[in-house]
Amino acid sequence: MRSLRRHATTLILVALAAAAAVVLLVLDRGSVSTDEAERRRKNLFEAWRPDEITELTVTMASPGAPQTARLTRGEVNDAGQRPWNVEIDGQRYPADEPTVDQLLGTLEFATAERRVSAEAVDAAALGLASPRLTIALAMGPRRERLLLGGSAPTPPGAVYAEVAGRGVFVITKQLASALDIPPDRLRSRSFVPYLASELSGLTLDGDGGPRRFSRAPWGGGRGAGFRFAEGSPQGSGVRVSAEAMDRVLSALGRLQAEGFLSDEAAQQAAASGGPRVTLTLLPSDPSAKPGVIELGGACPDRPDHVVAVRREPTRAAACVHESALEPLTEDASRFVDLALVGAPLDEVAEVKLAVGEGGARSLELARAGSEWHLRAPEDRPVPTETGRALVQAILDVRATRLLPTASDPRALGLAPPRATLRVLSTPPESPGEGEPQERIETLEVGAEQAGVVHVRRIEDGAIAEIPAAAAGALLPSDVSLRSMQVFDFPPDQISALRIERPGLVQRLRRTGDGAWQLVEPSGEGLAADDALAEELAELLGGLKAERWVAPDPGQGYGLAAPRLAVEAELSAAPDPGGAAGDAAARAARVELGARAGAGSFARAGQGAAVFVAPPALEAAAGRLLLRRDVFAVAPEDIARVTLTPASGKPVVLEASPGGFTVAGAADQASATAAAAGVRDALADLRAEGAVALGKPEQHHGLTPPRLRIAVDLARPPAATTAEGGAGAPRPRGRSFTIAIGAGDAFRGTSVVYARRDGVNAVYAIAQSRVRPLLEAAGVAAAAGPR
């Protein structure tokens, strides 16, 4: 008892000290420490504690009633965030988090240019009695209030600002602009009520027709997991194109409100054009209402925007960018998935092929990371490039059309199928399913019938019709696993080239100095183009197959009568132990048959396996390898140029020490500029390529030409020889003529046809290079393709 009395005083004092500390802590929460005050002495707000900010009110003066937005912070959500909500005109909305964060950041670091002395403060004179902007915030027990008033004299654009309890300051124009956020901007721009992952389906009505989509059991990310809903004319359950659905979902993401509208304004705008499409979003949550959005009608004062009216689950109207309309108004046929396999390459983990009854022939390929491994018919690694090419070839096969699912399988060669192809993939996400699920796509490949093959997609039951040549990719064999390298030799090892196509043979031989000499065709002024020949040599020496197709061409693939053949004569490097030149010559030949997508079916020699050659090979070998600089002439070589249009007077330009002049021009200043353009154009008159040998045809527009250009030379150009191909072939006289003809397109470039005397070929020159000559002669710009 005595011991208890002895310690009672101590216990009471400890309790009183603890209570005092609690009271002091509670009372001191709103005060500012000396360190904090010193650290923020230049800031408008002497304290800033972002975690304690729970409310922010922004009021902006306007000609009518003031506009006010009251922001409040919500409870911690599943993501560990405390989202903001905003109340405007009594309506509550999600806040635009980036804009709120930007405003809070501006307030936190806001500083003053200078303080206004208390004696000079006149609230009315400084515009603070009726402020244009008021910002109030609750920060724990503290209440802060900032007013923006009228303009200050210096610095330019500065504004008076008052912080309640601290005084009046002058702030910069930049700070005032950053704080001057209209209350409506604090409202979330997002207009679509549900995320794509929250949808069980969606429908589109209006332009493009009725389109009904629902989630498919095979899952997948973004647009990969949708099918046509029950009752769709495309077929219930038929797979929807992932690319087309991705465009729709991306359009929903772009449905951001650029400005909100009142109901009255939205109705008036919609009346001008009416909604073009109605979008209905079906949420996975059965307790949630469908989202309904109407799009269409011109937006007031925004020519590239349309009106969007959200009718459910909450009502809103806004202006959204018109780019969102295009994917939402595509015809239903554009959504039909014509790909046989829906998984993208990077998700494919395994491919299994069984051919014949009981899988008499099989092939099994699996991936581990970026590497591929063959499991059957033998166990061995496969080069990454080869494995990817085999799988990509399968994924690239597209149907020409889908047949009704009620079609007779036996009549289509599918009962029984001649082969079964199974593709296993791992989608990155399966909305609403938690962990990603394996996706197994099985294809039943039918027998060839009259040049087509029918394939049944077991996943959705659709029956696809594909060309027989394309079906080869679905039946990979041992040849499909070859190295992709067809040829591998340095281009300088090629001593001669021969290119054959119907009606034309080109032969070129490399000279001792490495240049190319044209052997065939022969003709006046014709010479080889070193750059074009070297480009073909490089492509041939490093030729890679896009994919291997079949062990032999048989009678298919267009190789019985090739469209194009390229043969290179090779000189092997000399044996180090023997005399130079002892090595025997050898040849490399490739033939191109029918088209295969952008490329062509090809083989490297008679009876060789069929592969798909890249389009670059035909682009390089399918052109005339003739010099392209036959029109260019150095300005210092020119004495006179005469431009004679088909109708009109000739225009004569003459060289002088001060540059080119136009003979007899009244306005010599503008004529001098035109003459300079002609001079530069002639120096840069390089053709895109030769298009024909011999005399021009009618469509070239050269008989008569639109413009004839006669060039008189001050001195003959340096003599050149055809052998070796050095220099552009030119007549050895003191003049030559260029004829400019019709406009057309050549290899994706707008061109005009042209011909030069002394050169037995027709060329294509880019219209941009010829335009100064046409303009100087008063000829209309070149026409497009005829």
Side-chain angles (χ1 to χ4, degrees):
M1 194 68 178
R2 187 179 298 127
S3 175
L4 181 60
R5 284 197 299 268
R6 188 168 62 243
H7 293 292
T9 302
T10 302
L11 294 172
I12 291 171
L13 290 174
V14 170
L16 289 173
V22 171
V23 171
L24 182 62
L25 178 64
V26 172
L27 295 176
D28 195 49
R29 282 181 62 198
S31 64
V32 180
S33 68
T34 302
D35 288 345
E36 188 176 18
E38 177 60 25
R39 190 170 62 251
R40 295 188 57 83
R41 61 189 178 85
K42 292 184 179 180
N43 295 92
L44 291 181
F45 296 105
E46 60 180 353
W48 192 264
R49 298 156 189 175
D51 291 341
E52 296 183 17
I53 298 175
T54 56
E55 187 174 318
L56 181 69
T57 303
V58 178
T59 302
M60 178 175 286
S62 64
Q67 297 177 353
T68 299
R70 178 174 171 267
L71 292 148
T72 54
R73 210 164 198 171
E75 297 299 324
V76 177
N77 59 19
D78 294 340
Q81 305 294 322
R82 295 178 61 195
W84 289 92
N85 294 299
V86 62
E87 184 179 314
I88 300 174
D89 296 333
Q91 297 294 318
R92 192 176 177 84
Y93 311 100
D96 189 65
E97 297 286 342
T99 304
V100 176
D101 289 344
Q102 177 185 331
L103 176 58
L104 290 173
T106 301
L107 291 170
E108 178 179 3
F109 298 106
T111 58
E113 283 290 290
R114 62 181 182 274
R115 179 186 289 272
V116 178
S117 65
E119 295 79 13
V121 172
D122 181 340
L126 302 183
L128 293 167
S130 300
R132 72 185 197 189
L133 182 70
T134 301
I135 299 176
L137 60 89
M139 186 167 54
R142 295 182 65 86
R143 297 295 182 269
E144 302 286 359
R145 190 162 168 267
L146 172 66
L147 311 178
L148 296 193
S151 300
T154 59
V159 172
Y160 289 111
E162 180 181 357
V163 179
R166 296 202 70 195
V168 177
F169 303 86
V170 173
I171 63 173
T172 63
K173 175 184 178 181
Q174 291 77 15
L175 176 56
S177 297
L179 294 171
D180 205 1
I181 298 176
D184 202 45
R185 283 268 309 278
L186 296 166
R187 180 178 171 183
S188 173
R189 306 286 97 191
S190 181
F191 200 74
V192 178
Y194 303 113
L195 300 175
S197 59
E198 298 172 334
L199 299 178
S200 65
L202 60 95
T203 68
L204 297 167
D205 290 290
D207 291 7
R211 289 140 292 169
R212 308 282 185 268
F213 310 117
S214 62
R215 282 284 179 192
W218 50 82
R222 293 288 293 172
F226 285 87
R227 59 183 175 180
F228 285 97
E230 186 175 350
S232 296
Q234 295 75 24
S236 298
V238 170
R239 196 169 70 205
V240 170
S241 163
E243 292 82 2
M245 185 55 71
D246 269 341
R247 290 193 293 271
V248 169
L249 299 180
S250 296
L252 299 187
R254 294 197 304 273
L255 280 182
Q256 299 288 314
E258 300 298 328
F260 289 96
L261 300 172
S262 66
D263 284 349
E264 182 181 359
Q267 289 172 2
Q268 291 176 352
S272 64
R276 290 184 54 190
V277 64
T278 298
L279 167 68
T280 303
L281 305 173
L282 306 173
S284 302
D285 183 354
S287 65
K289 289 184 177 181
V292 180
I293 299 174
E294 295 176 350
L295 290 163
C299 219
D301 304 321
R302 292 178 184 265
D304 55 351
H305 287 66
V306 295
V307 175
V309 178
R310 188 177 66 217
R311 301 200 177 279
E312 295 289 349
T314 57
R315 188 172 180 83
C319 292
V320 299
H321 200 275
E322 64 182 1
S323 62
L325 265 179
E326 184 177 351
L328 303 179
T329 55
E330 283 192 343
D331 188 80
S333 61
R334 300 286 298 273
F335 288 89
V336 176
D337 190 3
L338 296 177
L340 299 190
V341 176
L345 176 63
D346 292 340
E347 294 177 12
V348 174
E350 185 178 279
V351 173
K352 289 184 177 182
L353 171 70
V355 180
E357 189 174 351
R361 180 170 70 85
S362 65
L363 182 145
E364 185 174 339
L365 187 68
R367 185 175 66 181
S370 62
E371 303 298 319
W372 292 90
H373 196 94
L374 185 66
R375 292 176 179 167
E378 59 180 314
D379 192 293
R380 63 177 175 85
V382 172
T384 300
E385 184 180 40
T386 302
R388 288 180 65 89
L390 183 151
V391 177
Q392 187 64 64
I394 294 172
L395 305 186
D396 286 343
V397 179
R398 295 288 187 276
T400 53
R401 63 179 180 130
L402 296 186
L403 277 60
T405 54
S407 302
D408 180 9
R410 186 172 299 278
L412 299 176
L414 285 165
R418 63 165 160 163
T420 301
L421 183 68
R422 178 178 177 270
V423 178
L424 183 147
S425 60
T426 53
E429 58 176 298
S430 299
E433 296 294 332
E435 290 296 320
Q437 303 295 313
E438 286 186 344
R439 179 181 182 182
I440 298 176
E441 299 180 70
T442 302
L443 304 178
E444 293 180 345
V445 184
E448 181 179 341
Q449 296 179 330
V452 301
V453 171
H454 295 100
V455 179
R456 178 160 47 196
R457 295 189 308 217
I458 300 301
E459 186 173 70
D460 64 349
I463 297 176
E465 184 176 282
I466 62 173
L474 304 177
L475 303 168
S477 62
D478 292 345
V479 72
S480 308
L481 298 170
R482 285 186 177 185
S483 167
M484 309 309 290
Q485 198 76 48
V486 179
F487 296 136
D488 188 12
F489 50 81
D492 58 7
Q493 195 174 326
I494 299 178
S495 59
L497 284 168
R498 179 185 177 91
I499 304 102
E500 306 169 18
R501 69 185 194 200
L504 177 67
V505 174
Q506 297 184 80
R507 290 194 298 132
L508 297 89
R509 185 167 297 279
R510 199 187 289 274
T511 62
D513 60 359
W516 289 92
Q517 176 188 354
L518 183 68
V519 179
E520 189 179 356
S522 60
E524 184 182 14
L526 301 183
D529 189 298
D530 285 343
L532 294 180
E534 202 61 36
E535 178 186 353
L536 177 57
E538 289 180 2
L539 283 167
L540 197 62
L543 181 62
K544 285 186 175 183
E546 291 197 338
R547 65 181 174 92
W548 290 95
V549 178
D552 61 77
Q555 296 301 310
Y557 308 106
L559 289 165
R563 293 183 298 111
L564 185 66
V566 184
E567 186 169 327
E569 185 178 307
L570 307 178
S571 295
D575 183 350
D582 284 350
R586 50 198 177 93
R589 180 181 174 87
V590 61
E591 298 174 347
L592 304 185
R595 301 281 185 186
S600 304
F601 292 114
R603 63 181 174 186
Q606 288 289 332
V610 180
F611 65 94
V612 174
L617 179 63
E618 182 168 357
R623 63 193 305 174
L624 288 165
L625 304 182
L626 302 180
R627 296 199 70 101
R628 293 168 290 173
D629 57 357
V630 297
F631 300 96
V633 57
E636 60 269 20
D637 291 341
I638 301 175
R640 181 183 296 102
V641 177
T642 304
L643 306 174
T644 305
S647 60
K649 295 182 179 180
V651 178
V652 180
L653 299 90
E654 297 177 333
S656 68
F660 277 58
T661 59
V662 179
D667 183 356
Q668 201 55 243
S670 61
T672 300
V678 170
R679 175 201 62 199
D680 295 342
L682 288 172
D684 192 38
L685 205 58
R686 180 181 179 84
E688 297 298 302
V691 296
L693 296 170
K695 294 182 179 180
E697 298 177 15
Q698 184 176 358
H699 74 276
H700 293 145
L702 290 164
T703 50
R706 177 186 308 174
L707 175 66
R708 192 178 299 277
I709 307 165
V711 181
D712 296 319
L713 301 176
R715 60 178 186 271
T720 62
T721 60
E723 188 173 14
R730 296 187 179 96
R732 297 180 183 276
R734 301 184 64 85
S735 65
F736 64 91
T737 302
I738 299 170
I740 303 297
D744 207 336
F746 176 76
R747 296 179 178 266
T749 300
S750 296
V751 297
V752 293
Y753 293 118
R755 185 178 175 88
R756 172 180 166 161
D757 56 2
V759 181
N760 193 28
V762 178
Y763 287 81
I765 305 177
Q767 290 187 14
S768 58
R769 296 179 187 268
V770 177
R771 190 170 291 114
L773 302 169
L774 297 171
E775 291 174 348
V779 179
R786 294 186 175 185

